[in-house]
Amino acid sequence: MGTYEVKAEVTGSVWKIVAAVGQEVEPGGTIVIVESMKMEIPVVAEDGGRVEAIRVEEGAPVAEGQVVAVMAG
Amino acid sequence: MNPSPAQSPAPAGAAEGWQAEVDELRRRRAMAERLGGPEAVQRHHGAGRLTIRERIAGLVDAGSFREVGKLTGQGRYDEAGRLLEVVPAPYVMGLASLDGRPVAVGGEDFTVRGGTSWSGDRKKGGQGGFVEDMAFQYRIPLINLIDGAGGSVTSIQRRGHAVFPGVHGFERSVALLGTVPVVSAVMGTAAGGPAGRAILSHWSVMVRGTSQVFAAGPPVVQRSLGQRIDKEDLGGARLAVDAAGTVDNAAADEAECFGMIRRFLGYLPQNVWELPPSLPCDDPVDRAEEALLDIVPRDRRKPYDMRRLLRLVMDRDSLFEIQPTFGKAVITSLARIGGRVVGVIANNPMFYGGAIDVKAARKQIHFIELCDCFHIPLVFFVDVPGFMVGRDAEAAATLRVGMRSVYAALQATVPIFTVVVGKCYGMAGMATTDKNGLDFKVAWPSAEWGSLPIEGGVAAAFRREIAAAADPAAREREIEAGLKAVASPMRTAEAFGVEDIIDPRETRAHLSRFVEAAQGRLRIDAGPKPKYGVGP
């Protein structure tokens, strides 16, 4: 069992943090929602697992490729 | 018998006929099968790579490979002129078939001098090699299995002079691109000429982890720029496929790579004078998926899974995505509907709302040109807010490359079908329609269009009126609501400004029927397509 990083695919701002630290997430489950180009873009944990850390705050800007969360799984 | 340095003298007492020569032929062929020898082959396997002979065997129909030039190489003889060994030329090629269709296939043999060039009377492969000529003259697809670094400075020593660039030029490679399908698979480390040929293809693929491609490798980079970088960081799939889009697709291993090559060529005709192969279709063309009714959320801020939408509409398991990891704002995929090949271009709302950035535009341009060249009708699934905006986008020349995608679509002569499922705005939206053809567009009830989205446009267009209002924000919302009511797609359909609004569940039956009807036109237009003019 290792950890992996969940990265934002788009630049924008954090609209909502959906998952909480410690929570188990299904593969493809949404961790945070980024607002970009007037759309609410989900940032998902491809392989699922437990949320180890959330690295962003609601309302904060986020850049393409930025780590938003660390997952254990 | 006429003794020559290339032949061993016939053994004394040989029987009548040519058995001795045929025996020698068998020996020579066995030497060719040894490639660079057991140690070199073992090293190659140790690096997780197959030999060129294993690659060809893994790719083509069983038993279909008919090799050309198997005897080429560097012979060594004893004092009596008897053959000791032949080090094979570092390129293996010939005729084979894929799913029963003939193809020209060849690749460097890395186990012989790293697959570097070899000078015989005629080149077997590479730029202007026999394998390229065969594909061109027989009008059959060419598959390059690339594993070589191209020229080496040692050739100066061998020849006694430096060759001018282009002595072995790309002219045949370029002519092939307008004639027959060319697939390049980067199977090892490719630099120089082989890397160039990887790009001069209709579709390219590389293997994650064991292949790299670049203009020049790490030693040259270090000397030129002082940068220390390993070859995987410089030209592995993560850079060359995902970030740069230099190569189109990546395979997990060589076996998957062969399957992908076979799959890709299954959508293409043998040459530009033929039509893409239709297949019998057991997926009913009137299959109407309920899920299509609510796949586009009413809340237009919510994105949805465009790939799922495509799977619901096109023939089951028929989608083959080109460049799935690059230029993600747009999805380009070969597919079938009713068994007939189409090229699907769909905006991806999950990536910047589907706004066309430079990468997406580049991807779209290549795909349009590919489909146009091989008479594959285009189907657009449109949900595009426009070109990407912002300083970064402008600095990357989004407008220029975006307009080149508009230019490419307007130069294409294949039929284009447009299904507007969401937003269709601005120049990027215009580029999704067949303006030089039938200009046939259908829309889902979720569609909306205009020169720019109402939200963005109201503030600018009604600036004075809004500023003069007692409650400017309320006035802005009021104007927006009023315009939105008038902007309903049904009203455009009344004006025949869009040819139809359809129930999303009818999309498959609708498309299938019109793609079928367009086949006659495709037959008439089949042939090479010269391109004129200057793209922006």
PDB file of all heavy atoms in Angstrom, chain A residues 9-11 15 35-42 64, chain B residues 300-303 328 349-353 355 388 423:
ATOM      1  N   GLU A   9      -6.362  19.132 -12.897  1.00  0.00           N
ATOM      2  CA  GLU A   9      -6.064  19.123 -14.336  1.00  0.00           C
ATOM      3  C   GLU A   9      -6.211  20.514 -14.937  1.00  0.00           C
ATOM      4  O   GLU A   9      -5.748  20.761 -16.034  1.00  0.00           O
ATOM      5  CB  GLU A   9      -7.029  18.183 -15.060  1.00  0.00           C
ATOM      6  CG  GLU A   9      -6.602  16.738 -15.045  1.00  0.00           C
ATOM      7  CD  GLU A   9      -7.160  15.973 -16.220  1.00  0.00           C
ATOM      8  OE1 GLU A   9      -8.295  16.285 -16.637  1.00  0.00           O
ATOM      9  OE2 GLU A   9      -6.469  15.087 -16.724  1.00  0.00           O
ATOM     10  N   VAL A  10      -6.898  21.398 -14.206  1.00  0.00           N
ATOM     11  CA  VAL A  10      -7.158  22.724 -14.758  1.00  0.00           C
ATOM     12  C   VAL A  10      -6.813  23.813 -13.744  1.00  0.00           C
ATOM     13  O   VAL A  10      -6.848  23.591 -12.533  1.00  0.00           O
ATOM     14  CB  VAL A  10      -8.653  22.882 -15.162  1.00  0.00           C
ATOM     15  CG1 VAL A  10      -8.986  21.934 -16.302  1.00  0.00           C
ATOM     16  CG2 VAL A  10      -9.578  22.656 -13.982  1.00  0.00           C
ATOM     17  N   THR A  11      -6.501  24.975 -14.265  1.00  0.00           N
ATOM     18  CA  THR A  11      -6.281  26.142 -13.426  1.00  0.00           C
ATOM     19  C   THR A  11      -7.632  26.775 -13.102  1.00  0.00           C
ATOM     20  O   THR A  11      -8.515  26.823 -13.960  1.00  0.00           O
ATOM     21  CB  THR A  11      -5.387  27.154 -14.175  1.00  0.00           C
ATOM     22  OG1 THR A  11      -4.110  26.543 -14.378  1.00  0.00           O
ATOM     23  CG2 THR A  11      -5.212  28.445 -13.395  1.00  0.00           C
ATOM     24  N   TRP A  15     -13.630  25.496  -5.556  1.00  0.00           N
ATOM     25  CA  TRP A  15     -15.046  25.828  -5.371  1.00  0.00           C
ATOM     26  C   TRP A  15     -15.559  25.160  -4.107  1.00  0.00           C
ATOM     27  O   TRP A  15     -16.215  25.774  -3.286  1.00  0.00           O
ATOM     28  CB  TRP A  15     -15.791  25.342  -6.620  1.00  0.00           C
ATOM     29  CG  TRP A  15     -17.284  25.445  -6.573  1.00  0.00           C
ATOM     30  CD1 TRP A  15     -18.175  24.406  -6.460  1.00  0.00           C
ATOM     31  CD2 TRP A  15     -18.065  26.632  -6.652  1.00  0.00           C
ATOM     32  NE1 TRP A  15     -19.455  24.875  -6.472  1.00  0.00           N
ATOM     33  CE2 TRP A  15     -19.417  26.239  -6.584  1.00  0.00           C
ATOM     34  CE3 TRP A  15     -17.739  27.988  -6.786  1.00  0.00           C
ATOM     35  CZ2 TRP A  15     -20.453  27.161  -6.648  1.00  0.00           C
ATOM     36  CZ3 TRP A  15     -18.780  28.904  -6.840  1.00  0.00           C
ATOM     37  CH2 TRP A  15     -20.117  28.491  -6.773  1.00  0.00           C
ATOM     38  N   GLU A  35     -13.467  25.502  -9.723  1.00  0.00           N
ATOM     39  CA  GLU A  35     -14.233  26.314 -10.655  1.00  0.00           C
ATOM     40  C   GLU A  35     -13.280  26.874 -11.700  1.00  0.00           C
ATOM     41  O   GLU A  35     -12.281  27.528 -11.366  1.00  0.00           O
ATOM     42  CB  GLU A  35     -14.955  27.457  -9.947  1.00  0.00           C
ATOM     43  CG  GLU A  35     -15.840  28.224 -10.926  1.00  0.00           C
ATOM     44  CD  GLU A  35     -16.448  29.482 -10.323  1.00  0.00           C
ATOM     45  OE1 GLU A  35     -15.884  30.013  -9.354  1.00  0.00           O
ATOM     46  OE2 GLU A  35     -17.481  29.919 -10.855  1.00  0.00           O
ATOM     47  N   SER A  36     -13.582  26.579 -12.958  1.00  0.00           N
ATOM     48  CA  SER A  36     -12.720  27.027 -14.041  1.00  0.00           C
ATOM     49  C   SER A  36     -13.591  27.227 -15.269  1.00  0.00           C
ATOM     50  O   SER A  36     -14.447  26.402 -15.569  1.00  0.00           O
ATOM     51  CB  SER A  36     -11.649  25.963 -14.318  1.00  0.00           C
ATOM     52  OG  SER A  36     -10.849  26.359 -15.418  1.00  0.00           O
ATOM     53  N   MET A  37     -13.382  28.332 -15.979  1.00  0.00           N
ATOM     54  CA  MET A  37     -14.169  28.639 -17.170  1.00  0.00           C
ATOM     55  C   MET A  37     -15.682  28.536 -16.875  1.00  0.00           C
ATOM     56  O   MET A  37     -16.440  27.986 -17.650  1.00  0.00           O
ATOM     57  CB  MET A  37     -13.794  27.694 -18.316  1.00  0.00           C
ATOM     58  CG  MET A  37     -12.376  27.841 -18.822  1.00  0.00           C
ATOM     59  SD  MET A  37     -12.038  29.432 -19.591  1.00  0.00           S
ATOM     60  CE  MET A  37     -12.854  29.225 -21.167  1.00  0.00           C
ATOM     61  N   LYS A  38     -16.061  29.035 -15.704  1.00  0.00           N
ATOM     62  CA  LYS A  38     -17.461  29.061 -15.271  1.00  0.00           C
ATOM     63  C   LYS A  38     -18.080  27.669 -15.120  1.00  0.00           C
ATOM     64  O   LYS A  38     -19.290  27.501 -15.150  1.00  0.00           O
ATOM     65  CB  LYS A  38     -18.313  29.904 -16.240  1.00  0.00           C
ATOM     66  CG  LYS A  38     -17.959  31.372 -16.224  1.00  0.00           C
ATOM     67  CD  LYS A  38     -18.796  32.141 -17.217  1.00  0.00           C
ATOM     68  CE  LYS A  38     -17.991  32.539 -18.411  1.00  0.00           C
ATOM     69  NZ  LYS A  38     -18.734  33.067 -19.509  1.00  0.00           N
ATOM     70  N   MET A  39     -17.212  26.649 -15.036  1.00  0.00           N
ATOM     71  CA  MET A  39     -17.708  25.291 -14.848  1.00  0.00           C
ATOM     72  C   MET A  39     -17.174  24.736 -13.533  1.00  0.00           C
ATOM     73  O   MET A  39     -16.104  25.132 -13.068  1.00  0.00           O
ATOM     74  CB  MET A  39     -17.217  24.369 -15.982  1.00  0.00           C
ATOM     75  CG  MET A  39     -17.621  24.768 -17.368  1.00  0.00           C
ATOM     76  SD  MET A  39     -19.368  24.474 -17.694  1.00  0.00           S
ATOM     77  CE  MET A  39     -19.367  22.706 -17.959  1.00  0.00           C
ATOM     78  N   GLU A  40     -17.945  23.799 -12.951  1.00  0.00           N
ATOM     79  CA  GLU A  40     -17.510  23.132 -11.724  1.00  0.00           C
ATOM     80  C   GLU A  40     -16.859  21.801 -12.111  1.00  0.00           C
ATOM     81  O   GLU A  40     -17.550  20.844 -12.425  1.00  0.00           O
ATOM     82  CB  GLU A  40     -18.708  22.911 -10.806  1.00  0.00           C
ATOM     83  CG  GLU A  40     -19.326  24.218 -10.328  1.00  0.00           C
ATOM     84  CD  GLU A  40     -20.732  24.030  -9.769  1.00  0.00           C
ATOM     85  OE1 GLU A  40     -21.091  22.897  -9.383  1.00  0.00           O
ATOM     86  OE2 GLU A  40     -21.478  25.021  -9.739  1.00  0.00           O
ATOM     87  N   ILE A  41     -15.539  21.794 -12.111  1.00  0.00           N
ATOM     88  CA  ILE A  41     -14.799  20.630 -12.600  1.00  0.00           C
ATOM     89  C   ILE A  41     -14.373  19.737 -11.431  1.00  0.00           C
ATOM     90  O   ILE A  41     -13.606  20.174 -10.572  1.00  0.00           O
ATOM     91  CB  ILE A  41     -13.512  21.061 -13.356  1.00  0.00           C
ATOM     92  CG1 ILE A  41     -13.783  22.229 -14.307  1.00  0.00           C
ATOM     93  CG2 ILE A  41     -12.844  19.869 -14.028  1.00  0.00           C
ATOM     94  CD1 ILE A  41     -14.371  21.875 -15.617  1.00  0.00           C
ATOM     95  N   PRO A  42     -14.876  18.515 -11.373  1.00  0.00           N
ATOM     96  CA  PRO A  42     -14.451  17.633 -10.277  1.00  0.00           C
ATOM     97  C   PRO A  42     -13.001  17.185 -10.445  1.00  0.00           C
ATOM     98  O   PRO A  42     -12.567  16.888 -11.556  1.00  0.00           O
ATOM     99  CB  PRO A  42     -15.404  16.433 -10.399  1.00  0.00           C
ATOM    100  CG  PRO A  42     -15.928  16.471 -11.787  1.00  0.00           C
ATOM    101  CD  PRO A  42     -15.816  17.883 -12.289  1.00  0.00           C
ATOM    102  N   GLU A  64      -2.982  24.345 -12.802  1.00  0.00           N
ATOM    103  CA  GLU A  64      -2.945  23.069 -13.522  1.00  0.00           C
ATOM    104  C   GLU A  64      -1.748  22.256 -13.029  1.00  0.00           C
ATOM    105  O   GLU A  64      -0.644  22.778 -12.947  1.00  0.00           O
ATOM    106  CB  GLU A  64      -2.804  23.384 -15.021  1.00  0.00           C
ATOM    107  CG  GLU A  64      -3.106  22.232 -15.929  1.00  0.00           C
ATOM    108  CD  GLU A  64      -3.049  22.661 -17.408  1.00  0.00           C
ATOM    109  OE1 GLU A  64      -3.568  23.738 -17.750  1.00  0.00           O
ATOM    110  OE2 GLU A  64      -2.476  21.903 -18.199  1.00  0.00           O
TER     111      GLU A  64
ATOM    112  N   ARG B 300     -25.913  24.369 -16.168  1.00  0.00           N
ATOM    113  CA  ARG B 300     -24.855  24.437 -17.177  1.00  0.00           C
ATOM    114  C   ARG B 300     -23.464  24.634 -16.590  1.00  0.00           C
ATOM    115  O   ARG B 300     -22.479  24.596 -17.301  1.00  0.00           O
ATOM    116  CB  ARG B 300     -25.174  25.513 -18.214  1.00  0.00           C
ATOM    117  CG  ARG B 300     -25.580  26.828 -17.632  1.00  0.00           C
ATOM    118  CD  ARG B 300     -26.469  27.583 -18.607  1.00  0.00           C
ATOM    119  NE  ARG B 300     -25.755  27.954 -19.827  1.00  0.00           N
ATOM    120  CZ  ARG B 300     -24.837  28.899 -19.891  1.00  0.00           C
ATOM    121  NH1 ARG B 300     -24.477  29.547 -18.800  1.00  0.00           N
ATOM    122  NH2 ARG B 300     -24.280  29.208 -21.030  1.00  0.00           N
ATOM    123  N   ARG B 301     -23.378  24.802 -15.275  1.00  0.00           N
ATOM    124  CA  ARG B 301     -22.055  24.848 -14.631  1.00  0.00           C
ATOM    125  C   ARG B 301     -21.508  23.452 -14.370  1.00  0.00           C
ATOM    126  O   ARG B 301     -20.361  23.288 -14.026  1.00  0.00           O
ATOM    127  CB  ARG B 301     -22.156  25.604 -13.292  1.00  0.00           C
ATOM    128  CG  ARG B 301     -22.336  27.109 -13.449  1.00  0.00           C
ATOM    129  CD  ARG B 301     -22.518  27.779 -12.095  1.00  0.00           C
ATOM    130  NE  ARG B 301     -21.498  27.416 -11.131  1.00  0.00           N
ATOM    131  CZ  ARG B 301     -20.304  28.019 -11.032  1.00  0.00           C
ATOM    132  NH1 ARG B 301     -20.006  29.000 -11.845  1.00  0.00           N
ATOM    133  NH2 ARG B 301     -19.436  27.635 -10.130  1.00  0.00           N
ATOM    134  N   LYS B 302     -22.361  22.449 -14.505  1.00  0.00           N
ATOM    135  CA  LYS B 302     -21.945  21.076 -14.208  1.00  0.00           C
ATOM    136  C   LYS B 302     -21.460  20.387 -15.478  1.00  0.00           C
ATOM    137  O   LYS B 302     -22.197  20.274 -16.451  1.00  0.00           O
ATOM    138  CB  LYS B 302     -23.130  20.288 -13.635  1.00  0.00           C
ATOM    139  CG  LYS B 302     -23.652  20.822 -12.312  1.00  0.00           C
ATOM    140  CD  LYS B 302     -23.072  20.040 -11.144  1.00  0.00           C
ATOM    141  CE  LYS B 302     -23.788  20.362  -9.842  1.00  0.00           C
ATOM    142  NZ  LYS B 302     -23.592  21.746  -9.386  1.00  0.00           N
ATOM    143  N   PRO B 303     -20.215  19.919 -15.470  1.00  0.00           N
ATOM    144  CA  PRO B 303     -19.724  19.179 -16.645  1.00  0.00           C
ATOM    145  C   PRO B 303     -20.257  17.742 -16.632  1.00  0.00           C
ATOM    146  O   PRO B 303     -20.917  17.329 -15.679  1.00  0.00           O
ATOM    147  CB  PRO B 303     -18.213  19.198 -16.453  1.00  0.00           C
ATOM    148  CG  PRO B 303     -18.022  19.276 -14.979  1.00  0.00           C
ATOM    149  CD  PRO B 303     -19.218  19.986 -14.403  1.00  0.00           C
ATOM    150  N   LYS B 328      -6.515  17.770 -23.897  1.00  0.00           N
ATOM    151  CA  LYS B 328      -7.691  17.094 -23.347  1.00  0.00           C
ATOM    152  C   LYS B 328      -9.000  17.856 -23.510  1.00  0.00           C
ATOM    153  O   LYS B 328     -10.064  17.328 -23.210  1.00  0.00           O
ATOM    154  CB  LYS B 328      -7.461  16.806 -21.863  1.00  0.00           C
ATOM    155  CG  LYS B 328      -6.374  15.771 -21.629  1.00  0.00           C
ATOM    156  CD  LYS B 328      -6.242  15.542 -20.142  1.00  0.00           C
ATOM    157  CE  LYS B 328      -4.988  14.749 -19.815  1.00  0.00           C
ATOM    158  NZ  LYS B 328      -4.732  14.783 -18.368  1.00  0.00           N
ATOM    159  N   PRO B 349     -16.115  18.860 -21.687  1.00  0.00           N
ATOM    160  CA  PRO B 349     -16.418  19.914 -20.705  1.00  0.00           C
ATOM    161  C   PRO B 349     -15.644  19.766 -19.403  1.00  0.00           C
ATOM    162  O   PRO B 349     -15.545  20.721 -18.631  1.00  0.00           O
ATOM    163  CB  PRO B 349     -17.926  19.762 -20.471  1.00  0.00           C
ATOM    164  CG  PRO B 349     -18.278  18.408 -20.969  1.00  0.00           C
ATOM    165  CD  PRO B 349     -17.287  18.039 -22.016  1.00  0.00           C
ATOM    166  N   MET B 350     -15.070  18.590 -19.172  1.00  0.00           N
ATOM    167  CA  MET B 350     -14.306  18.368 -17.935  1.00  0.00           C
ATOM    168  C   MET B 350     -12.974  19.127 -17.943  1.00  0.00           C
ATOM    169  O   MET B 350     -12.324  19.252 -16.911  1.00  0.00           O
ATOM    170  CB  MET B 350     -13.983  16.874 -17.776  1.00  0.00           C
ATOM    171  CG  MET B 350     -15.169  16.038 -17.423  1.00  0.00           C
ATOM    172  SD  MET B 350     -15.600  16.225 -15.693  1.00  0.00           S
ATOM    173  CE  MET B 350     -16.845  14.940 -15.526  1.00  0.00           C
ATOM    174  N   PHE B 351     -12.518  19.541 -19.134  1.00  0.00           N
ATOM    175  CA  PHE B 351     -11.219  20.208 -19.218  1.00  0.00           C
ATOM    176  C   PHE B 351     -11.431  21.636 -19.691  1.00  0.00           C
ATOM    177  O   PHE B 351     -11.683  21.886 -20.869  1.00  0.00           O
ATOM    178  CB  PHE B 351     -10.301  19.429 -20.171  1.00  0.00           C
ATOM    179  CG  PHE B 351      -8.850  19.824 -20.051  1.00  0.00           C
ATOM    180  CD1 PHE B 351      -8.068  19.335 -19.021  1.00  0.00           C
ATOM    181  CD2 PHE B 351      -8.280  20.692 -20.959  1.00  0.00           C
ATOM    182  CE1 PHE B 351      -6.730  19.692 -18.895  1.00  0.00           C
ATOM    183  CE2 PHE B 351      -6.940  21.060 -20.846  1.00  0.00           C
ATOM    184  CZ  PHE B 351      -6.171  20.560 -19.809  1.00  0.00           C
ATOM    185  N   TYR B 352     -11.325  22.580 -18.750  1.00  0.00           N
ATOM    186  CA  TYR B 352     -11.558  24.012 -19.035  1.00  0.00           C
ATOM    187  C   TYR B 352     -12.878  24.233 -19.775  1.00  0.00           C
ATOM    188  O   TYR B 352     -12.958  25.064 -20.685  1.00  0.00           O
ATOM    189  CB  TYR B 352     -10.390  24.604 -19.829  1.00  0.00           C
ATOM    190  CG  TYR B 352      -9.123  24.728 -19.022  1.00  0.00           C
ATOM    191  CD1 TYR B 352      -8.016  23.965 -19.325  1.00  0.00           C
ATOM    192  CD2 TYR B 352      -9.052  25.603 -17.940  1.00  0.00           C
ATOM    193  CE1 TYR B 352      -6.856  24.067 -18.565  1.00  0.00           C
ATOM    194  CE2 TYR B 352      -7.900  25.704 -17.185  1.00  0.00           C
ATOM    195  CZ  TYR B 352      -6.803  24.939 -17.496  1.00  0.00           C
ATOM    196  OH  TYR B 352      -5.667  25.038 -16.734  1.00  0.00           O
ATOM    197  N   GLY B 353     -13.881  23.454 -19.378  1.00  0.00           N
ATOM    198  CA  GLY B 353     -15.197  23.651 -19.982  1.00  0.00           C
ATOM    199  C   GLY B 353     -15.206  23.358 -21.477  1.00  0.00           C
ATOM    200  O   GLY B 353     -16.151  23.722 -22.176  1.00  0.00           O
ATOM    201  N   ALA B 355     -13.045  24.570 -23.632  1.00  0.00           N
ATOM    202  CA  ALA B 355     -12.471  25.681 -24.411  1.00  0.00           C
ATOM    203  C   ALA B 355     -11.240  25.193 -25.177  1.00  0.00           C
ATOM    204  O   ALA B 355     -10.411  24.454 -24.653  1.00  0.00           O
ATOM    205  CB  ALA B 355     -12.079  26.827 -23.480  1.00  0.00           C
ATOM    206  N   MET B 388      -9.778  29.197 -25.753  1.00  0.00           N
ATOM    207  CA  MET B 388      -9.322  29.455 -24.389  1.00  0.00           C
ATOM    208  C   MET B 388      -8.923  30.925 -24.269  1.00  0.00           C
ATOM    209  O   MET B 388      -8.366  31.514 -25.203  1.00  0.00           O
ATOM    210  CB  MET B 388      -8.131  28.546 -24.085  1.00  0.00           C
ATOM    211  CG  MET B 388      -7.675  28.593 -22.645  1.00  0.00           C
ATOM    212  SD  MET B 388      -8.938  27.974 -21.510  1.00  0.00           S
ATOM    213  CE  MET B 388      -8.279  28.548 -19.956  1.00  0.00           C
ATOM    214  N   LYS B 423     -22.917  23.973 -25.510  1.00  0.00           N
ATOM    215  CA  LYS B 423     -22.581  25.307 -26.011  1.00  0.00           C
ATOM    216  C   LYS B 423     -21.965  25.227 -27.408  1.00  0.00           C
ATOM    217  O   LYS B 423     -21.213  24.316 -27.713  1.00  0.00           O
ATOM    218  CB  LYS B 423     -21.557  25.971 -25.084  1.00  0.00           C
ATOM    219  CG  LYS B 423     -21.987  26.093 -23.639  1.00  0.00           C
ATOM    220  CD  LYS B 423     -20.883  26.783 -22.844  1.00  0.00           C
ATOM    221  CE  LYS B 423     -21.208  26.851 -21.363  1.00  0.00           C
ATOM    222  NZ  LYS B 423     -20.964  25.571 -20.664  1.00  0.00           N
TER     223      LYS B 423
END
